[in-house]
């Protein structure tokens, strides 16, 4: 028997599709009572990871457990974990109610449960309509109803907001949060941080199949950095002064200004003043979470070296593009 | 397992495929056996009138010639339950409903097992329809004295049910092996309707009987030809023929029943059941680790 904890453990999961490494040595834990966001750009390996977790894809290496057991050993898995996956199919000719009754029979829950979950997701009126005629949003709701059929302790959702109207997204957020608050587990993937930002407690961010960040969303928020953009009369002199005073993260921006991170505007202005360097322009730039997410995962298409997995404990973004060397080389 | 079997029955009954395939099954069965037995009766009548046979006083009008096309009808109609079985798992993979099916089953083996149980029952039901409509067809097309007796009819009906059941299971196996509806249907139809007929032509005596179609056709075909041969043996003039001539008649009738080169009916049944088992096991092995992406 499973341990009833609702904990998800992913350990060293790797999947190779021929020459493509979809997931590379991925590890994370999802604790019950929380909503964990599983984030990464398209093609990062989210779907593949979730499908490995659910026993649909055979890992090349590593493994995963739900409630302490691999999926195949859960016994009656529909009663332990419910899943909404991308491209999950419905027979176009089968009505929503009949679809649910098929799987109610498979997991041994009473037929009336089919109607309960239909009402829960707001499809009560469409119970007798064929799933083939459903809109994308209605299909997502039906998929969620299917996932909830067995009253599972763990919910795994792969981009569930796709196709949902704004109202549906708000409803989903509230639903998942109350689901987690009752001590159960939610793992939800998305390629947009903003889409899940308001409902997740923990995040796992992956890029090119590897962990880029793993930890509480709060820690990630706290690591938000700001930088100061200045346009000095004598940039070389200012850089020398900044380095003298131990401020290391400086780079050139596209428009020829200096970007200095880890300081505030006043410090830079004071330093320039005391060194007698005139500043034509100075402003503070705050980097929001979405930009941070983009930075964490942007290695994917830029051809830059992949940031090494940071794993545990959570760390601020990998190799910072603001290291002096980075911006200096070509321009100095 | 009971839960999954219930779910499989619901899957079948909440969609149209089962009756969409059952209608052509019944139509083909009744038309094929009707036209076939009408043809047989006409030929037998003509032979009975022939001066040669009449001079020897041979009466060929009283034997149950109709079983020949009963057997052929079973063989042709079994295509439909085969298609039905082939779509069992493969259409779930193609339509992606297999994701949910795997998520709600203890393991992939038990889902396939539940499908085998369910589709065996459906295959038998198709067989009952095939045997029933084939009976109707020969009733319409034959002289009453050329119909089989009760035992003969029961044996033929049983062969029809068993044959359809095994074809369905073989289809389930091939569908699980290939994991794609179109691929499963095309390869099964091309092989059974074309490929084996071509290679069967070049194979020496008895070789066709170990092949898939050959053994499947042998189950009702050899049964029918044995029923008929036993009756022909009661015709004195035939009983007195030399062994070699009688062998020619026996083989000829087996050929007419569509079972050239097949082994005894029970051996054919076992060989065909073996083929079904091979595909089911292969399908199980391949579907166990197939990535559902
Ligand atoms: N069945 C498959 N065969 C080959 N490559 C695949 C397959 N499924 C996914 N991939 C590849 O694996 C990588 C990760 O895909 P996926 O897990 O779908 O990412 P995400 O869900 O994060 O968008 C992609 O490069 C994708 O092309
Ligand atoms: Mg995906």
């Amino acid at each position: 028997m499973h341990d009833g904890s609702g904990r998800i453990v992913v350990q060293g999961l790797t999947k190779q599709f021929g020459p493509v490494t979809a997931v590379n040595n991925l590890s994370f834990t999802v604790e019950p009572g929380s909503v964990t966001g599983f984030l990464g750009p398209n093609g990062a390996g989210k779907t593949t990871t979730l499908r490995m977790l659910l026993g649909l894809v055979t890992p090349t290496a590593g493994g995963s457990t739900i409630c302490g057991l691999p999926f195949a050993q859960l016994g009656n898995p529909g009663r332990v974990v419910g899943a909404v996956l991308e491209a999950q199919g419905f027979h176009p000719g089968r009505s929503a109610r009949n679809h649910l009754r098929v799987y109610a029979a498979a997991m041994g829950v009473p037929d009336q449960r089919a109607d309960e979950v239909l009402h829960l997701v707001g499809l009560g009126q469409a119970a007798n309509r064929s799933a083939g005629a459903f809109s994308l949003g209605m299909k997502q709701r039906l998929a969620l109803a299917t996932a909830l059929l067995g009253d599972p302790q763990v919910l795994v959702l792969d981009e569930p907001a796709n196709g949902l109207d704004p109202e549906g997204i708000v409803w989903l957020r509230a639903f998942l949060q109350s689901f987690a608050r009752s001590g159960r587990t939610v793992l939800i993937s998305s390629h947009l941080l903003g889409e899940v930002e308001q409902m997740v407690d923990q995040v796992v961010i992956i890029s090119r199949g590897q962990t880029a960040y793993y930890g509480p969303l709060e820690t990630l928020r706290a690591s938000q950095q700001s930088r100061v953009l200045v346009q000095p009369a004598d940039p070389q002199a200012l850089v020398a002064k900044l380095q003298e005073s131990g401020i290391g993260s400086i780079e050139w921006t596209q428009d020829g200004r200096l970007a200095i991170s880890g300081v505030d505007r006043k410090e830079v202005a004071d330093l320039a003043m005391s060194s007698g360097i005139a500043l034509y322009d100075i402003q503070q730039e705050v980097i929001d979470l979405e930009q941070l997410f983009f930075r964490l995962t942007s290695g994917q298409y830029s051809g830059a070296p992949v940031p090494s997995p940071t794993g545990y404990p959570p760390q601020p973004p990998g190799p910072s593009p603001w290291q002096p060397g980075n911006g200096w080389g070509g321009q100095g | 397992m009971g839960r999954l079997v219930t779910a499989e029955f619901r899957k079948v009954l909440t969609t149209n495929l089962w009756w969409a395939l059952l209608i052509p099954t019944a139509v083909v069965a009744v038309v094929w056996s009707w036209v076939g037995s009408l043809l047989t009766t006409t030929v037998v009548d003509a032979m009975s009138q022939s001066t040669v046979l009449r001079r020897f006083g041979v009466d060929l009008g009283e034997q149950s010639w109709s079983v020949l096309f009963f057997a052929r009808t079973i063989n042709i109609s079994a295509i439909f339950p085969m298609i039905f079985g082939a779509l069992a798992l493969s259409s779930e993979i193609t339509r992606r409903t297999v994701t949910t099916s795997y998520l709600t089953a203890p393991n992939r083996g038990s889902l396939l097992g539940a499908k085998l149980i369910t589709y065996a029952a459906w295959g038998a039901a198709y067989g009952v329809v095939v045997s029933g409509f084939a009976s109707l067809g020969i009733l319409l097309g034959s002289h009453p004295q050329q119909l089989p007796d009760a035992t003969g009819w029961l044996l033929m009906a049983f062969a029809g049910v068993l044959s359809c059941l095994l074809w369905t299971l073989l289809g389930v196996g091939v569908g699980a092996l290939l994991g794609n509806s179109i691929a499963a249907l095309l390869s099964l139809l091309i092989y059974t309707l074309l490929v084996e007929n071509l290679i069967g032509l070049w194979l020496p005596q008895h070789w066709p009987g170990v092949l898939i179609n050959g053994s499947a056709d042998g189950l009702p075909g050899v049964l029918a030809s044995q029923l008929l041969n036993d009756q022909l043996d009661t015709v004195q003039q035939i009983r007195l023929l030399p062994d070699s001539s009688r062998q020619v008649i026996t083989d000829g009738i087996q050929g007419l029943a569509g079972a050239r080169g097949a082994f005894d009916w029970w051996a054919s049944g076992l060989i065909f059941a073996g083929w079904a088992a091979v595909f089911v096991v292969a399908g199980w092995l391949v579907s166990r680790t197939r990535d559902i992406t």
Side-chain angles (χ1 to χ4, degrees):
Chain A
M1 268 309 274
H2 59 86
D3 62 14
S5 64
R7 185 175 288 108
I8 297 174
V9 178
V10 168
Q11 213 145 35
L13 222 43
T14 299
K15 181 64 185 184
Q16 197 88 36
F17 286 115
V20 179
T21 306
V23 176
N24 191 0
N25 195 22
L26 198 62
S27 302
F28 61 88
T29 308
V30 181
E31 295 296 335
S34 71
V35 180
T36 297
F38 188 39
L39 303 164
N42 289 323
K46 303 181 295 295
T47 300
T48 307
T49 304
L50 297 183
R51 286 188 173 259
M52 284 194 279
L53 174 67
L54 296 166
L56 295 166
V57 168
T58 314
T60 309
S64 57
T65 59
I66 298 172
C67 293
L69 289 176
F71 184 88
Q73 290 170 28
L74 287 176
N76 189 355
R79 305 297 294 271
V80 181
V81 51
V84 176
L85 297 178
E86 271 184 323
Q88 195 167 5
F90 305 104
H91 191 293
R94 196 178 280 139
S95 74
R97 178 184 280 124
N98 281 334
H99 164 83
L100 291 168
R101 285 194 178 182
V102 164
Y103 295 107
M107 54 180 104
V109 300
D111 284 352
Q112 81 224 29
R113 182 79 188 138
D115 291 314
E116 281 172 30
V117 291
L118 275 174
H119 283 109
L120 186 61
V121 302
L123 283 181
Q125 303 296 316
N128 292 318
R129 284 171 54 190
S130 297
F134 277 13
S135 69
L136 191 55
M138 288 169 85
K139 283 183 179 159
Q140 287 289 40
R141 286 169 190 260
L142 183 55
L144 183 62
T146 314
L148 295 172
L149 202 54
D151 194 21
Q153 198 180 2
V154 179
L155 261 187
V156 174
L157 308 106
D158 194 10
E159 314 247 3
N162 280 356
L164 279 187
D165 44 30
E167 191 192 347
I169 293 178
V170 170
W171 175 85
L172 182 69
R173 262 180 206 153
F175 175 80
L176 293 181
Q177 279 175 325
S178 77
F179 187 90
R181 232 175 274 127
S182 66
R184 295 188 271 190
T185 313
V186 179
L187 177 61
I188 175 174
S189 88
S190 176
H191 63 281
L192 297 171
L193 176 61
E195 199 172 72
V196 295
E197 191 184 337
Q198 287 156 45
M199 61 174 138
V200 303
D201 315 302
Q202 295 272 128
V203 284
V204 180
I205 298 178
I206 63 168
S207 170
R208 289 209 275 199
Q210 297 186 316
T211 320
Y213 174 82
Y214 163 38
L217 187 59
E218 276 318 307
T219 313
L220 190 63
R221 258 201 199 106
S223 74
Q224 285 181 70
Q225 297 181 44
S226 63
R227 52 182 193 172
V228 176
L229 298 171
V230 291
Q231 199 175 4
D234 184 352
Q236 259 82 351
L238 183 61
V239 168
K241 282 286 168 201
L242 285 165
Q243 285 177 335
E244 238 171 66
S245 59
I247 297 167
S249 289
I250 311 159
E251 70 176 319
W252 287 95
T253 63
Q254 303 282 345
D255 55 8
R257 290 185 294 177
L258 277 178
I260 309 141
S261 53
V263 289
D264 70 17
R265 199 162 45 167
K266 189 171 162 294
E267 271 178 87
V268 178
D270 287 348
L271 189 72
M273 174 75 95
S274 64
S275 324
I277 302 166
L279 295 180
Y280 304 139
D281 184 34
I282 181 160
Q283 67 187 82
Q284 187 118 19
E285 183 194 64
V286 176
I287 302 196
D288 67 17
L289 216 48
E290 199 64 52
Q291 279 172 294
L292 200 59
F293 173 58
F294 186 71
R295 269 169 205 274
L296 279 168
T297 56
S298 61
Q300 183 148 13
Y301 299 110
S302 65
V306 196
S308 57
T310 48
Y312 228 175
Q315 285 169 16
S320 164
W322 307 341
Q323 300 302 321
N326 260 7
W328 267 145
Q331 313 243 351
Chain B
M1 190 58 99
R3 293 199 310 257
L4 293 182
V5 172
T6 311
E8 288 304 320
F9 268 100
R10 287 184 176 187
K11 280 180 195 168
V12 173
L13 289 169
T14 53
T15 49
N16 301 331
L17 186 68
W18 69 271
W19 61 260
L21 278 173
L22 203 56
I23 291 172
T25 311
V27 171
V28 166
V30 72
V31 169
W32 205 265
S33 54
W34 186 1
V35 171
S37 53
L38 206 61
L39 216 74
T40 316
T41 301
T42 314
V43 171
V44 169
D45 282 353
M47 283 198 328
S48 305
Q49 307 289 311
S50 80
T51 41
V52 186
L53 288 182
R54 272 217 274 186
R55 187 177 316 148
F56 288 100
V58 181
D59 186 3
L60 292 183
E62 304 291 321
Q63 288 78 28
S64 46
W65 292 96
S66 59
V67 293
L68 293 181
F69 261 85
F70 200 127
R72 284 188 164 258
T73 299
I74 292 171
N75 293 337
I76 189 78
S77 310
I79 284 182
F80 297 102
M82 172 193 83
I83 292 174
F84 187 64
L87 292 172
L89 186 65
S90 68
S91 76
E92 282 221 57
I93 295 174
T94 303
R95 289 193 199 282
R96 298 173 173 280
T97 54
V98 76
T99 295
T100 315
S101 297
Y102 280 156
L103 288 177
T104 53
N107 55 62
R108 295 184 180 193
S110 53
L111 184 78
L112 187 60
K115 281 194 188 292
L116 290 171
I117 293 171
T118 308
Y119 279 76
W122 276 101
Y126 271 86
V128 169
V129 169
V130 166
S131 290
F133 278 83
S135 306
L136 180 64
I138 61 170
L139 205 62
L140 294 171
S142 286
H143 295 317
Q145 67 270 25
Q146 289 171 0
L147 294 172
D149 60 11
T151 318
W153 177 79
L154 268 179
L155 280 171
M156 289 308 298
F158 165 75
V161 171
L162 191 59
S163 179
C164 286
L165 186 157
L166 290 174
W167 270 116
T168 311
L169 295 185
L170 185 132
V172 175
V174 172
L177 177 66
L178 298 179
N180 177 295
S181 328
I182 308 282
L185 288 186
L186 280 185
S187 42
L188 275 170
L189 289 175
I190 290 175
Y191 180 82
T192 54
L193 296 179
L194 199 69
V195 176
E196 192 174 312
N197 288 329
L198 291 181
I199 53 180
L201 286 180
W202 300 105
L203 289 177
Q205 186 71 354
H206 268 321
W207 272 97
V210 299
L211 299 180
I212 300 171
N213 257 349
S215 57
D217 294 352
L219 175 54
V222 175
L223 190 61
S225 67
Q226 282 179 2
L227 284 172
L228 192 54
N229 274 317
D230 286 351
Q231 290 174 0
L232 288 177
D233 276 350
T234 63
V235 177
Q236 199 184 6
Q237 291 84 346
I238 292 181
R239 198 171 345 121
L240 294 177
L241 285 173
D243 276 355
S244 58
S245 310
R246 277 177 64 183
Q247 190 62 45
V248 170
I249 293 179
T250 310
D251 289 349
I253 285 177
Q254 195 171 319
L256 287 176
R260 188 183 78 86
F263 294 92
D264 209 338
W265 66 270
W266 58 267
S268 294
L270 282 179
I271 295 170
F272 184 49
W275 278 114
V278 164
F279 282 105
V280 164
V281 169
W284 171 64
L285 288 175
V286 170
S287 61
R288 228 166 30 142
T289 53
R290 175 180 286 124
D291 285 341
I292 307 297
T293 56

